Amino acid sequence: MERIALFIDGANVYAAAKRLGWNFDHRKILEHFAAPGRLYNAFYYTAVPTPIDDKQKRFTDALTYMGYTVRTRPLREATDDSGDTYRRASLDIEIVTDLLTTSEQYDTAVLLTGDGDFERPVEVLRARGKRVVVASIAEMTSYELRNAADLYVDFKDIREHVERPGYRLPSEQRGQETRPFYTSAALDGDDR
């Protein structure tokens, strides 16, 4: 039976969800990508604020409960040349480390990211006889990464298997008044 390992670049998947306009159910992701074999491990990489807020803590705890090995790094604030402050954390080295150090434990690596920085590690894995599946959305996937993988999966093609219906992304809820998805009365003078 094929041994499968899942590696999820949380920031990249979140950015893809924002572009797609729908969110992922991480339990369904596990089930979908592990279906062809036996799941060795599922790694989820994400940046967290310092100190970690309750919402992020609940999210990482939920992932752990689902069976993910969660790798985190603190968000760091930096200021660019124009004086704008931004927050970031790179987990690329953690992903590459886990991809390569655990490669004897799996036959197929499923990498959920479109980041071209992973082209060379993917080539190394394939040279070691591993099968590599990359999943993301076309507009966020580098040509080089897609070309290096054995198989590319577009999230749009598997939406029905991995979507979390009715769930809005946290960024969509900030600063917006909440309106029901349906109403029995007309809105804004609509006479229908």
Side-chain angles (χ1 to χ4, degrees):
M1 181 174 277
E2 181 182 18
R3 299 170 302 161
I4 299 168
L6 187 59
F7 302 86
I8 300 178
D9 179 347
N12 201 278
V13 168
Y14 182 76
K18 283 176 69 172
R19 283 205 182 179
L20 290 167
W22 50 271
N23 206 350
F24 296 94
D25 182 321
H26 292 290
R27 186 179 314 278
K28 289 180 179 179
I29 286 175
L30 272 176
E31 293 166 359
H32 178 77
F33 286 105
R38 180 178 57 82
L39 186 67
Y40 152 68
N41 203 346
F43 296 92
Y44 191 97
Y45 305 86
T46 188
V48 294
T50 305
I52 190 168
D53 60 42
D54 288 342
K55 192 176 212 173
Q56 188 70 31
K57 177 81 170 111
R58 285 192 310 271
F59 177 68
T60 57
D61 287 350
L63 290 171
T64 301
Y65 180 76
M66 286 179 218
Y68 285 93
T69 298
V70 180
R71 304 268 196 244
T72 62
R73 287 191 58 107
L75 278 169
R76 294 189 196 131
E77 282 197 9
T79 305
D80 63 17
D81 294 338
S82 64
D84 292 330
T85 301
Y86 61 93
R87 299 177 347 163
R88 65 170 299 188
S90 176
L91 284 120
D92 290 2
I93 195 70
E94 283 80 2
I95 297 171
V96 170
T97 299
D98 286 336
L99 274 167
L100 298 177
T101 60
T102 65
S103 66
E104 292 304 312
Q105 306 301 316
Y106 62 82
D107 304 305
T108 298
V110 179
L111 183 59
L112 275 65
T113 189
D115 189 339
D117 291 343
F118 296 106
E119 174 194 9
R120 187 67 184 127
V122 166
E123 290 172 345
V124 169
L125 287 172
R126 290 190 63 205
R128 292 180 179 178
K130 304 300 175 183
R131 182 170 177 262
V132 181
V133 176
V134 169
S136 189
I137 57 176
E139 57 269 28
M140 288 181 56
T141 305
S142 79
Y143 169 79
E144 294 79 11
L145 178 62
R146 191 172 179 165
N147 190 50
D150 290 291
L151 176 67
Y152 172 74
V153 176
D154 193 312
F155 290 145
K156 295 171 191 169
D157 296 336
I158 60 171
R159 179 178 182 171
E160 67 185 85
H161 303 287
V162 298
E163 181 180 13
R164 184 173 178 187
Y167 181 79
R168 293 175 55 149
L169 296 167
S171 62
E172 293 176 338
Q173 297 170 3
R174 277 187 237 133
Q176 293 182 1
E177 66 181 52
T178 56
R179 292 180 74 168
F181 291 121
Y182 65 92
T183 182
S184 58
L187 294 173
D188 302 322
D190 186 357
D191 295 350
R192 284 188 264 175

